[in-house]
C-alpha cells in the first residue's frame, strides 16, 4: 500500500498529539491566589532576578525587623514565597526608581526621618535618632545589585546623594543606560506648591552636571508630582502632568508644548493607569501611550478642605503616539471610574489592569472626612484585560476578581512565567492592623497575590536556544520549536512572537520603564512538524528598548513560554555598541507541509514590511505553478 505524504504527515501529527505530555497547571487560569506575606507593605516593587522580587516601603512600624529596628525593605523569594528583611538607611517614602544599563537598580528620593504615626523628627534629629533609626531620605540614592543567594543588600551611602530634595520624583532609563530623574517636591504634601516646595528640575544618575530647570514643571502646578514621562523611539521624552503635555528634547534641552490631555487629570494623585502599547515590527516600533481613569478637578480644587473620597474617578481612556501624531484619541472607556489602577504588559500583547478605587484619589490624612485615613473609598476588586488589537467597543474583557482591597501604595509586576505578582496597599501614615485599629476600614496589606491569566491552563511552549544576551542589531539567532510547542499545528508558527518585556519599577500606579517590544522574525518549518524561528536582534536604536535586564518570551498563538532572563546591550552604563540591522532569511515551508496545505490554499502571516524578513508566502501561488507545470508535462506526453 502506498501512503501519500499528506496522509503520512497526518498520521505523524496524530501520533505526536497522542504522545504529547499534558502540562498540568496547579492553579486555575484567570484567578488570583494568595501565596505569602511580603514582610513590609509593597509601596515599591520590582523583579530583580528570575526568582526574586524586591519590595521597598516607607519608614513605618512593620512587624518584621532588621538590625534592631522595623524593616521597610524585603527580598521576596518566588520559589518559597518567603521574605528576607533588608536594611535601608533612609526613609524611602514615595521614592522613584528604575534599572540602569548595567543591571543595578536605582531608588531615589523620599521623606524626612520620622517617628511613630509618620510624624517628622526635629531637623536636628534626621540621622538615625528616631525609634525607627531612619535617616532623612530627601536626597537619598539607594543602589541594589540583585542576587539569587541572599548576599546582596541595599547600598544607601550619603556620599552618593543628590544635591536637591525629591519627594515623588519620576525616573526613566536612557539610551546609554543612565537614568533621568525628574521633578518631585522638597517636603511632601497632597499636591505641590511653589513656595519652598516645588522642585522643577531634572538631573541624571550617574551625574551629568548640576540639576537644570524644566519650565513644564513650573507651569503645571499644583498637580505635577510623579510627572508621567516616557522615552520615545525618536529619542525625545513625552512629559505629562496636570492637563498639560509636552515633547522634551532632553539632548538639546528644548521643550515643545503639545495639546492638553482630554477629560481629566491623569498624574498623581489622580493616578490614572498608564502604559505603552506593544511596540512591534507591524507598527514600526511606534510608542503609543494609553491613560485610563484619573480625576477631573480644576487647579483650585486640589485641596483637602472637602471630602475628596466621595468624588468619583473618571472612566475616560485616551492615547497618543507622539512620534507620528501629536493628537489625542479616545479609547474604549473603563466600566467605572478608577483611580490608582496598575497597567501591566502581558506577553500576549494585552494589558492587564488591576488595583484601584472608584471614589477619591491617592493620599491619606487626618481630616474628619477620611475613611480611617484614606482619601479613597470603594476599592475595585474586578481586574480587566485590554486588547489594543481588537475593534473599538470590544477591547475590554473581564479578568479575575480579588478579595483584597488594593488602593494607595499598591503595586504589581509581570513575572517570568507570565503570571503577575500583586501586593501592597496602605492608605495610612503608619502600620495599621485590624486588631488594634477597629474603627479603620483599610489596613496595611502584607498579602502577596499571584494573578494567573487566562492562558495559564494551556500547554506552555518549551523552546530551545533561548538567549541570555541581546544586542542592538547584528546576526539573528534561532529558536527551536517542536510540533508540541506549536500546539500540534505547524502553521501556528505564523502566530509565534518573540517578545521582550522590561517589567519596570512599580509604585503609585506606574511601572517606571515598563515596555513590551516584539522582535522581527521569520521561520523555517521542518518535515516533523516543528519549526525554527529566526529572530532578529533588537532594533539598532536604544531609544526603542534601553539597555539593561529584561524578560524574553516566545509566545505561540497567545501562550507564552517561561521567559529567559536577558541583558539588552553591553551590560554597562555608557554608549552602547550599535550593529547593522539584522537581516533575516525568508520564511520557508518544507515540501511535506506544502503537500499538506497545498490543496485548498493557505496564507502565511505577514511579519513586517522591512523587506528581507517578510513572512508573506502564498502557498496557493506555489501550487498553482506546480500544477501548471504538471499539466504542461502531461500535454507534451
Amino acid at each position: 500500500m502506498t501512503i501519500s505524504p499528506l496522509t503520512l504527515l497526518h498520521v505523524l501529527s496524530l501520533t505526536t498529539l497522542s504522545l504529547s505530555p499534558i502540562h498540568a497547571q496547579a492553579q486555575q487560569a484567570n484567578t488570583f491566589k494568595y501565596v505569602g506575606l511580603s514582610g513590609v507593605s509593597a509601596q515599591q516593587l520590582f523583579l530583580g532576578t528570575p526568582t526574586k522580587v524586591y519590595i521597598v516601603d516607607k519608614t513605618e512600624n512593620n512587624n518584621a525587623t532588621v538590625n534592631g529596628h522595623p524593616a521597610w525593605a524585603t527580598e521576596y523569594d518566588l520559589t518559597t514565597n518567603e521574605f528576607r528583611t533588608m536594611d535601608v538607611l533612609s526613609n524611602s517614602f514615595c521614592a522613584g526608581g528604575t534599572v540602569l544599563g548595567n543591571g543595578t537598580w536605582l531608588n531615589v528620593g523620599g521623606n524626612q526621618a520620622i517617628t511613630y504615626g509618620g510624624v517628622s523628627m526635629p531637623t536636628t534629629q534626621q540621622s538615625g535618632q528616631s525609634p525607627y533609626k531612619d535617616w532623612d531620605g530627601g536626597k537619598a540614592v539607594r543602589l541594589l545589585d540583585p542576587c539569587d543567594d541572599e548576599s546582596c543588600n541595599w547600598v544607601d551611602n550619603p556620599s552618593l546623594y543628590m544635591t536637591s530634595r525629591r519627594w515623588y520624583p519620576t525616573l526613566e532609563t536612557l539610551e546609554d543606560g543612565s537614568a533621568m530623574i525628574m521633578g518631585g517636591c522638597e517636603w511632601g504634601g497632597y499636591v505641590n506648591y511653589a513656595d519652598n516646595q516645588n522642585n522643577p528640575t531634572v538631573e541624571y544618575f550617574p551625574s551629568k552636571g548640576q540639576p537644570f530647570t524644566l519650565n513644564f514643571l513650573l507651569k503645571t502646578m499644583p498637580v505635577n508630582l510623579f510627572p508621567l514621562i516616557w522615552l520615545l523611539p525618536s529619542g525625545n521624552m513625552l512629559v505629562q502632568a496636570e492637563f498639560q503635555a509636552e515633547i522634551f528634547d532632553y539632548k538639546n534641552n528644548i521643550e515643545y508644548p503639545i495639546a492638553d490631555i482630554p477629560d481629566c487629570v491623569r498624574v498623581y494623585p489622580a493616578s490614572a493607569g498608564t502604559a505603552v502599547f506593544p511596540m512591534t515590527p507591524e507598527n514600526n516600533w511606534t510608542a503609543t501611550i494609553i491613560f485610563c481613569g484619573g480625576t477631573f478637578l480644576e487647579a483650585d480644587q486640589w485641596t483637602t478642605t472637602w471630602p475628596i473620597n466621595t468624588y468619583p474617578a473618571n472612566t475616560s481612556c485616551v492615547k497618543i503616539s507622539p512620534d507620528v501624531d501629536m493628537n489625542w484619541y479616545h479609547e474604549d472607556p473603563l466600566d467605572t471610574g478608577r483611580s490608582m489602577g496598575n497597567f501591566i504588559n502581558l506577553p500576549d500583547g494585552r494589558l492587564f489592569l488591576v488595583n484601584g478605587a472608584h471614589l477619591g484619589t491617592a493620599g491619606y490624612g487626618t481630616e474628619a472626612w477620611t475613611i480611617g485615613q484614606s482619601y479613597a473609598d470603594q476599592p475595585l476588586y474586578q481586574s480587566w484585560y485590554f486588547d489594543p488589537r481588537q475593534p473599538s467597543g470590544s477591547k475590554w474583557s473581564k479578568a479575575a476578581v480579588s478579595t483584597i482591597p488594593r488602593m494607595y501604595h499598591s503595586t504589581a509586576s509581570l513575572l517570568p512565567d507570565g503570571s503577575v505578582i500583586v501586593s501592597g496597599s496602605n492608605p495610612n501614615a503608619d502600620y495599621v492592623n485590624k486588631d488594634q485599629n477597629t474603627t479603620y476600614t483599610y489596613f496595611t496589606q502584607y498579602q502577596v497575590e499571584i494573578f494567573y491569566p487566562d492562558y495559564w491552563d494551556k500547554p506552555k511552549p518549551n523552546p530551545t536556544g533561548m538567549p541570555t544576551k541581546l544586542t542592538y542589531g547584528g546576526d539573528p539567532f534561532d529558536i527551536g520549536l517542536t510540533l508540541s510547542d506549536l500546539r500540534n499545528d505547524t502553521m501556528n508558527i505564523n502566530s509565534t512572537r518573540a517578545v521582550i518585556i522590561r517589567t519596570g519599577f512599580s509604585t503609585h500606579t506606574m511601572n517606571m520603564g515598563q515596555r513590551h517590544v516584539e522582535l522581527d522574525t521569520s521561520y523555517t518549518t521542518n518535515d516533523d512538524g516543528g519549526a525554527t524561528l529566526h529572530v532578529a536582534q533588537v532594533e539598532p536604536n536604544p531609544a526603542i528598548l534601553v539597555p539593561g535586564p529584561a524578560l524574553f518570551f516566545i509566545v505561540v498563538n497567545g501562550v507564552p513560554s517561561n521567559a529567559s532572563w536577558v541583558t539588552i546591550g553591553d551590560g554597562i552604563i555608557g554608549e552602547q555598541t550599535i550593529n547593522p540591522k539584522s537581516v533575516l532569511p525568508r520564511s520557508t515551508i518544507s515540501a511535506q507541509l506544502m503537500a499538506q496545505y497545498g490543496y485548498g490554499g493557505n496564507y502565511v502571516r505577514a511579519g513586517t514590511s522591512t523587506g528581507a524578513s517578510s513572512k508573506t508566502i502564498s502557498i496557493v501561488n506555489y501550487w498553482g505553478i506546480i500544477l501548471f507545470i504538471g499539466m504542461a508535462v502531461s500535454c507534451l506526453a
Side-chain angles (χ1 to χ4, degrees):
M1 180 178 68
T2 302
I3 301 177
S4 71
L6 180 61
T7 304
L8 179 61
L9 187 61
H10 180 65
V11 171
L12 288 173
S13 296
L14 291 176
T15 304
T16 305
L17 178 61
S18 64
L19 296 177
S20 296
I22 297 174
H23 297 266
Q25 301 285 355
Q27 180 62 22
Q28 183 179 352
N30 212 39
T31 60
F32 287 93
K33 181 181 180 180
Y34 162 76
V35 294
L37 296 174
S38 57
V40 302
S41 188
Q43 181 189 114
Q44 302 152 43
L45 177 151
F46 59 89
L47 178 69
T49 79
T51 62
K52 299 293 175 68
V53 169
Y54 292 88
I55 294 169
V56 182
D57 195 3
K58 68 180 187 292
T59 298
E60 53 189 357
N61 199 21
N62 289 311
N63 297 322
T65 60
V66 61
N67 292 337
H69 62 82
W72 52 92
T74 59
E75 176 188 74
Y76 188 85
D77 191 320
L78 294 168
T79 61
T80 64
N81 290 307
E82 297 178 347
F83 66 84
R84 169 176 73 98
T85 57
M86 304 181 77
D87 203 359
V88 173
L89 175 68
S90 55
N91 186 358
S92 48
F93 184 14
C94 295
T98 192
V99 62
L100 302 171
N102 64 352
T104 297
W105 284 84
L106 175 65
N107 180 296
V108 306
N111 189 16
Q112 302 168 76
I114 56 99
T115 183
Y116 302 116
V119 177
S120 295
M121 290 290 289
T123 55
T124 57
Q125 300 180 40
Q126 287 288 312
S127 54
Q129 293 89 348
S130 82
Y132 299 150
K133 299 184 179 179
D134 61 320
W135 289 52
D136 182 358
K139 299 180 181 180
V141 172
R142 311 170 191 90
L143 301 172
L144 178 71
D145 290 314
C147 61
D148 285 318
D149 60 3
E150 299 191 352
S151 64
C152 52
N153 289 290
W154 283 98
V155 174
D156 191 348
N157 185 346
S159 67
L160 300 175
Y161 280 15
M162 299 178 291
T163 58
S164 60
R165 304 183 61 85
R166 297 188 188 273
W167 200 357
Y168 309 97
T170 306
L171 279 73
E172 180 75 311
T173 305
L174 303 176
E175 298 98 316
D176 65 354
S178 65
M180 175 183 286
I181 306 170
M182 180 182 290
C185 64
E186 301 245 353
W187 307 104
Y190 178 54
V191 292
N192 214 344
Y193 54 89
D195 295 337
N196 196 33
Q197 172 72 324
N198 186 27
N199 186 343
T201 67
V202 174
E203 62 183 292
Y204 300 95
F205 187 90
S207 177
K208 299 180 182 180
Q210 290 297 308
F212 60 91
T213 297
L214 191 70
N215 291 325
F216 181 83
L217 296 176
L218 297 173
K219 300 185 297 180
T220 49
M221 303 293 287
V223 275
N224 64 8
L225 299 177
F226 278 136
L228 298 171
I229 64 174
W230 294 268
L231 178 66
L232 302 170
S234 62
N236 295 323
M237 291 278 181
L238 173 66
V239 188
Q240 200 282 314
E242 196 236 12
F243 287 99
Q244 300 179 52
E246 74 169 22
I247 303 301
F248 176 40
D249 176 356
Y250 78 91
K251 298 177 182 71
N252 297 299
N253 197 16
I254 303 174
E255 302 178 55
Y256 301 96
I258 62 175
D260 285 359
I261 196 169
D263 303 330
C264 64
V265 174
R266 314 287 180 166
V267 74
Y268 172 90
S271 300
T274 62
V276 183
F277 285 172
M279 302 163 68
T280 70
E282 286 86 354
N283 63 32
N284 197 31
W285 296 281
T286 296
T288 298
I289 300 97
I290 188 171
F291 304 71
C292 278
T295 306
F296 180 85
L297 292 174
E298 299 289 357
D300 61 355
Q301 294 178 295
W302 292 98
T303 69
T304 57
T305 58
W306 62 286
I308 294 166
N309 55 13
T310 64
Y311 190 81
N314 202 277
T315 62
S316 163
C317 292
V318 296
K319 67 181 179 181
I320 190 170
S321 307
D323 281 345
V324 297
D325 187 345
M326 296 291 187
N327 295 308
W328 297 93
Y329 296 93
H330 280 88
E331 274 286 6
D332 289 4
L334 299 165
D335 70 314
T336 188
R338 186 181 297 235
S339 172
M340 297 176 285
N342 275 93
F343 263 136
I344 301 299
N345 286 106
L346 297 179
D348 66 357
R350 294 177 297 172
L351 304 178
F352 173 61
L353 182 66
V354 66
N355 303 336
H358 173 56
L359 298 179
T361 70
Y364 63 75
T366 57
E367 292 81 6
W369 48 263
T370 60
I371 310 296
Q373 295 182 45
S374 176
Y375 284 2
D377 198 9
Q378 294 187 11
L380 295 171
Y381 301 97
Q382 176 71 61
S383 61
W384 294 82
Y385 302 109
F386 181 89
D387 191 341
R389 300 161 297 191
Q390 295 301 314
S392 179
S394 304
K395 298 187 177 184
W396 290 104
S397 58
K398 285 186 176 181
V401 179
S402 175
T403 60
I404 301 173
R406 303 284 191 189
M407 301 194 300
Y408 190 39
H409 294 158
S410 299
T411 47
S413 176
L414 183 71
L415 297 179
D417 61 3
S419 65
V420 178
I421 188 170
V422 182
S423 194
S425 192
N426 185 23
N428 305 291
D430 207 334
Y431 170 73
V432 172
N433 66 23
K434 186 179 297 185
D435 297 331
Q436 298 173 347
N437 303 88
T438 57
T439 63
Y440 278 58
T441 303
Y442 305 118
F443 305 99
T444 305
Q445 303 290 353
Y446 292 156
Q447 299 99 319
V448 176
E449 291 176 288
I450 302 293
F451 168 70
Y452 299 91
D454 50 12
Y455 49 65
W456 190 255
D457 56 0
K458 297 178 175 63
K460 280 180 176 286
N462 187 27
T464 58
M466 297 286 275
T468 58
K469 179 180 174 60
L470 294 171
T471 60
Y472 293 108
D475 293 336
F477 58 96
D478 289 343
I479 298 291
L481 295 160
T482 65
L483 182 60
S484 177
D485 293 329
L486 295 170
R487 302 180 68 181
N488 298 294
D489 183 350
T490 306
M491 299 321 293
N492 276 332
I493 192 66
N494 289 303
S495 57
T496 298
R497 316 288 189 189
V499 170
I500 306 170
I501 293 187
R502 297 181 83 248
T503 54
F505 178 95
S506 182
T507 190
H508 289 77
T509 312
M510 303 170 288
N511 280 59
M512 298 180 189
Q514 181 180 219
R515 292 292 190 280
H516 176 137
V517 174
E518 182 183 326
L519 300 180
D520 204 355
T521 59
S522 63
Y523 61 78
T524 301
T525 66
N526 307 324
D527 286 345
D528 63 4
T532 299
L533 190 72
H534 311 297
V535 185
Q537 298 286 349
V538 180
E539 285 296 286
N541 174 7
I544 292 175
L545 184 68
V546 295
L551 299 178
F552 177 81
F553 295 90
I554 295 297
V555 183
V556 177
N557 205 21
V559 181
S561 67
N562 288 323
S564 171
W565 189 266
V566 295
T567 297
I568 310 299
D570 296 334
I572 63 169
I573 302 171
E575 185 175 352
Q576 305 294 304
T577 302
I578 307 297
N579 303 298
K581 180 181 174 70
S582 299
V583 177
L584 294 171
R586 290 192 65 85
S587 294
T588 58
I589 296 179
S590 69
Q592 204 161 27
L593 284 175
M594 284 289 191
Q596 179 183 10
Y597 288 98
Y599 298 101
N602 189 33
Y603 192 74
V604 180
R605 174 177 70 90
T608 73
S609 58
T610 56
S613 58
S614 175
K615 290 185 180 179
T616 304
I617 304 174
S618 175
I619 299 177
V620 174
N621 291 343
Y622 176 91
W623 274 101
I625 294 170
I626 298 300
L627 289 172
F628 176 80
I629 294 172
M631 291 171 64
V633 170
S634 297
C635 291
L636 290 173

